[in-house]
PDB file of all heavy atoms in Angstrom:
ATOM      1  N   ALA A 194     100.648 100.401  86.055  1.00  0.00           N
ATOM      2  CA  ALA A 194     101.489 100.782  87.181  1.00  0.00           C
ATOM      3  C   ALA A 194     101.173 102.220  87.558  1.00  0.00           C
ATOM      4  O   ALA A 194     101.054 103.081  86.704  1.00  0.00           O
ATOM      5  CB  ALA A 194     102.958 100.646  86.799  1.00  0.00           C
ATOM      6  N   GLN A 195     101.035 102.486  88.851  1.00  0.00           N
ATOM      7  CA  GLN A 195     100.665 103.815  89.311  1.00  0.00           C
ATOM      8  C   GLN A 195     101.505 104.201  90.520  1.00  0.00           C
ATOM      9  O   GLN A 195     101.739 103.379  91.394  1.00  0.00           O
ATOM     10  CB  GLN A 195      99.191 103.844  89.716  1.00  0.00           C
ATOM     11  CG  GLN A 195      98.247 103.490  88.601  1.00  0.00           C
ATOM     12  CD  GLN A 195      96.868 103.230  89.155  1.00  0.00           C
ATOM     13  OE1 GLN A 195      96.262 104.127  89.714  1.00  0.00           O
ATOM     14  NE2 GLN A 195      96.411 102.020  89.035  1.00  0.00           N
ATOM     15  N   PHE A 196     101.866 105.450  90.559  1.00  0.00           N
ATOM     16  CA  PHE A 196     102.666 105.960  91.658  1.00  0.00           C
ATOM     17  C   PHE A 196     101.723 106.546  92.699  1.00  0.00           C
ATOM     18  O   PHE A 196     101.761 107.714  93.010  1.00  0.00           O
ATOM     19  CB  PHE A 196     103.582 107.040  91.106  1.00  0.00           C
ATOM     20  CG  PHE A 196     104.826 107.242  91.906  1.00  0.00           C
ATOM     21  CD1 PHE A 196     105.159 106.429  92.960  1.00  0.00           C
ATOM     22  CD2 PHE A 196     105.686 108.271  91.582  1.00  0.00           C
ATOM     23  CE1 PHE A 196     106.323 106.630  93.682  1.00  0.00           C
ATOM     24  CE2 PHE A 196     106.849 108.491  92.292  1.00  0.00           C
ATOM     25  CZ  PHE A 196     107.159 107.674  93.334  1.00  0.00           C
ATOM     26  N   ILE A 197     100.813 105.717  93.235  1.00  0.00           N
ATOM     27  CA  ILE A 197      99.779 106.199  94.147  1.00  0.00           C
ATOM     28  C   ILE A 197      99.571 105.180  95.241  1.00  0.00           C
ATOM     29  O   ILE A 197     100.087 104.072  95.199  1.00  0.00           O
ATOM     30  CB  ILE A 197      98.437 106.459  93.434  1.00  0.00           C
ATOM     31  CG1 ILE A 197      97.921 105.175  92.797  1.00  0.00           C
ATOM     32  CG2 ILE A 197      98.550 107.552  92.417  1.00  0.00           C
ATOM     33  CD1 ILE A 197      96.513 105.279  92.261  1.00  0.00           C
ATOM     34  N   VAL A 198      98.767 105.547  96.225  1.00  0.00           N
ATOM     35  CA  VAL A 198      98.396 104.609  97.270  1.00  0.00           C
ATOM     36  C   VAL A 198      97.633 103.454  96.663  1.00  0.00           C
ATOM     37  O   VAL A 198      96.758 103.652  95.841  1.00  0.00           O
ATOM     38  CB  VAL A 198      97.509 105.312  98.311  1.00  0.00           C
ATOM     39  CG1 VAL A 198      97.041 104.342  99.370  1.00  0.00           C
ATOM     40  CG2 VAL A 198      98.266 106.463  98.949  1.00  0.00           C
ATOM     41  N   HIS A 199      97.960 102.221  97.087  1.00  0.00           N
ATOM     42  CA  HIS A 199      97.301 101.051  96.541  1.00  0.00           C
ATOM     43  C   HIS A 199      96.546 100.310  97.623  1.00  0.00           C
ATOM     44  O   HIS A 199      97.022 100.130  98.720  1.00  0.00           O
ATOM     45  CB  HIS A 199      98.333 100.101  95.939  1.00  0.00           C
ATOM     46  CG  HIS A 199      98.416 100.214  94.467  1.00  0.00           C
ATOM     47  ND1 HIS A 199      98.772 101.374  93.825  1.00  0.00           N
ATOM     48  CD2 HIS A 199      98.166  99.313  93.486  1.00  0.00           C
ATOM     49  CE1 HIS A 199      98.759 101.180  92.527  1.00  0.00           C
ATOM     50  NE2 HIS A 199      98.399  99.944  92.302  1.00  0.00           N
ATOM     51  N   GLU A 200      95.366  99.867  97.300  1.00  0.00           N
ATOM     52  CA  GLU A 200      94.589  98.970  98.128  1.00  0.00           C
ATOM     53  C   GLU A 200      94.662  97.583  97.515  1.00  0.00           C
ATOM     54  O   GLU A 200      95.111  97.396  96.390  1.00  0.00           O
ATOM     55  CB  GLU A 200      93.119  99.426  98.166  1.00  0.00           C
ATOM     56  CG  GLU A 200      92.825 100.386  99.295  1.00  0.00           C
ATOM     57  CD  GLU A 200      92.688  99.673 100.617  1.00  0.00           C
ATOM     58  OE1 GLU A 200      93.148  98.514 100.743  1.00  0.00           O
ATOM     59  OE2 GLU A 200      92.145 100.266 101.548  1.00  0.00           O
ATOM     60  N   HIS A 201      94.177  96.593  98.265  1.00  0.00           N
ATOM     61  CA  HIS A 201      93.940  95.295  97.661  1.00  0.00           C
ATOM     62  C   HIS A 201      92.837  95.424  96.629  1.00  0.00           C
ATOM     63  O   HIS A 201      91.938  96.245  96.780  1.00  0.00           O
ATOM     64  CB  HIS A 201      93.473  94.298  98.722  1.00  0.00           C
ATOM     65  CG  HIS A 201      94.515  93.940  99.716  1.00  0.00           C
ATOM     66  ND1 HIS A 201      95.634  93.217  99.389  1.00  0.00           N
ATOM     67  CD2 HIS A 201      94.604  94.209 101.031  1.00  0.00           C
ATOM     68  CE1 HIS A 201      96.362  93.038 100.473  1.00  0.00           C
ATOM     69  NE2 HIS A 201      95.773  93.629 101.474  1.00  0.00           N
ATOM     70  N   PRO A 202      92.846  94.596  95.572  1.00  0.00           N
ATOM     71  CA  PRO A 202      91.676  94.535  94.706  1.00  0.00           C
ATOM     72  C   PRO A 202      90.458  94.226  95.564  1.00  0.00           C
ATOM     73  O   PRO A 202      90.532  93.445  96.497  1.00  0.00           O
ATOM     74  CB  PRO A 202      92.006  93.389  93.750  1.00  0.00           C
ATOM     75  CG  PRO A 202      93.497  93.332  93.734  1.00  0.00           C
ATOM     76  CD  PRO A 202      93.923  93.708  95.122  1.00  0.00           C
ATOM     77  N   PRO A 203      89.314  94.851  95.286  1.00  0.00           N
ATOM     78  CA  PRO A 203      88.160  94.713  96.167  1.00  0.00           C
ATOM     79  C   PRO A 203      87.641  93.291  96.215  1.00  0.00           C
ATOM     80  O   PRO A 203      87.573  92.590  95.206  1.00  0.00           O
ATOM     81  CB  PRO A 203      87.132  95.654  95.533  1.00  0.00           C
ATOM     82  CG  PRO A 203      87.545  95.755  94.102  1.00  0.00           C
ATOM     83  CD  PRO A 203      89.042  95.685  94.113  1.00  0.00           C
ATOM     84  N   VAL A 204      87.275  92.864  97.412  1.00  0.00           N
ATOM     85  CA  VAL A 204      86.655  91.567  97.625  1.00  0.00           C
ATOM     86  C   VAL A 204      85.336  91.809  98.340  1.00  0.00           C
ATOM     87  O   VAL A 204      85.298  92.558  99.324  1.00  0.00           O
ATOM     88  CB  VAL A 204      87.558  90.650  98.479  1.00  0.00           C
ATOM     89  CG1 VAL A 204      86.859  89.332  98.765  1.00  0.00           C
ATOM     90  CG2 VAL A 204      88.877  90.396  97.772  1.00  0.00           C
ATOM     91  N   PRO A 205      84.237  91.231  97.867  1.00  0.00           N
ATOM     92  CA  PRO A 205      82.952  91.461  98.531  1.00  0.00           C
ATOM     93  C   PRO A 205      83.008  91.090 100.001  1.00  0.00           C
ATOM     94  O   PRO A 205      83.591  90.077 100.390  1.00  0.00           O
ATOM     95  CB  PRO A 205      81.995  90.544  97.752  1.00  0.00           C
ATOM     96  CG  PRO A 205      82.649  90.341  96.430  1.00  0.00           C
ATOM     97  CD  PRO A 205      84.125  90.371  96.688  1.00  0.00           C
ATOM     98  N   ARG A 206      82.401  91.950 100.852  1.00  0.00           N
ATOM     99  CA  ARG A 206      82.369  91.677 102.291  1.00  0.00           C
ATOM    100  C   ARG A 206      81.645  90.353 102.531  1.00  0.00           C
ATOM    101  O   ARG A 206      80.601  90.080 101.957  1.00  0.00           O
ATOM    102  CB  ARG A 206      81.658  92.812 103.019  1.00  0.00           C
ATOM    103  CG  ARG A 206      81.693  92.673 104.538  1.00  0.00           C
ATOM    104  CD  ARG A 206      81.150  93.925 105.192  1.00  0.00           C
ATOM    105  NE  ARG A 206      81.979  95.064 104.905  1.00  0.00           N
ATOM    106  CZ  ARG A 206      83.101  95.365 105.566  1.00  0.00           C
ATOM    107  NH1 ARG A 206      83.521  94.581 106.547  1.00  0.00           N
ATOM    108  NH2 ARG A 206      83.807  96.427 105.246  1.00  0.00           N
TER     109      ARG A 206
END
Side-chain angles (χ1 to χ4, degrees):
Q195 300 167 63
F196 205 6
I197 60 171
V198 177
H199 260 61
E200 270 282 18
H201 292 292
V204 176
R206 185 172 296 278

